[in-house]
Amino acid sequence: EIESGSEDFSELVALDIANPWELMCLVDSNVRSGITAPYEWQKEFHITVGNAEATDKNPWCYTVTAGNGAGKDSYIIAWLAMWFIVSKVRSRVIITSGSVNQVNTQTEPYIREVANKINKWFEKKSGQPQAMVMCQKHYIRCLASGSEIRLFATDDAGKAEGYHPMPYPGSKMLIVANEAKEIKEGIFTALHRCTGYSHWL
């Protein structure tokens, strides 16, 4: 089991990557070669979040409205979440949904897929069979930066509050409310009590 603070790297470091689009081009050869590509609005989204000067006092808040099959999990949430934890030291991503099935069959598998691409890229770059990102059910951690992703789906508002940024200078926190139309109002109220978030999707 991966525990908070159990980094395998001697010094916490974040990758100098400007935005999720840049990460996508770096570690996904199909995107880099043009075999697959996100929509232009998805690319613009990633560049926008990378340029945001977000803080807990002035958080970056964004709403994506798109139909089923538009790639919200695969091209927006997965790449945003992974960019967040590899490019920021001791930062946190909290992802929730009104549907357990959405978390288990859509959101988390796409995040794990991106994590695998990052690990393959890192192993090739470092020349060592060492993973940068470790995954377990509903918990993903970047060992280089010490940042983490936590996923959950719940109807219990008590389980949705109590998340805060890690105690580290410059630490950021992203909250993602996926399939927001299915999330009960009480969960949103609880999420807003998670003080200190710098980004909200």
Side-chain angles (χ1 to χ4, degrees), residues 26-158:
L26 183 67
V27 305
D28 192 322
S29 58
N30 287 335
V31 171
R32 194 166 52 250
S33 64
I35 295 174
T36 61
Y39 294 115
E40 190 63 28
W41 67 266
Q42 293 167 332
K43 177 181 174 181
E44 290 174 3
F45 166 89
H46 289 314
I47 293 171
T48 297
V49 67
N51 290 335
E53 296 181 4
T55 67
D56 60 335
K57 303 294 188 294
N58 184 33
W60 173 87
C61 299
Y62 201 100
T63 300
V64 173
T65 305
N68 291 335
K72 294 187 295 293
D73 283 279
S74 58
Y75 278 110
I76 294 294
I77 295 173
W79 287 99
L80 171 60
M82 288 305 307
W83 168 74
F84 210 86
I85 68 167
V86 301
S87 70
K88 304 178 191 310
V89 172
R90 281 223 183 271
S91 292
R92 180 170 281 157
V93 179
I94 305 300
I95 301 176
T96 190
S97 172
S99 165
V100 173
N101 187 59
Q102 183 76 22
V103 171
N104 291 340
T105 66
Q106 296 287 323
T107 313
E108 186 167 8
Y110 282 123
I111 292 174
R112 287 174 178 267
E113 186 178 314
V114 175
N116 288 336
K117 290 176 181 177
I118 290 173
N119 283 337
K120 288 178 182 178
W121 169 83
F122 181 71
E123 288 177 14
K124 185 175 181 181
K125 184 177 176 65
S126 66
Q128 300 177 11
Q130 183 179 23
M132 175 181 278
V133 181
M134 299 294 289
C135 301
Q136 67 185 54
K137 187 172 179 61
H138 296 170
Y139 184 72
I140 296 159
R141 185 173 188 82
C142 177
L143 299 179
S145 69
S147 295
E148 65 184 20
I149 300 169
R150 293 184 180 271
L151 303 100
F152 70 95
T154 183
D155 289 330
D156 181 357

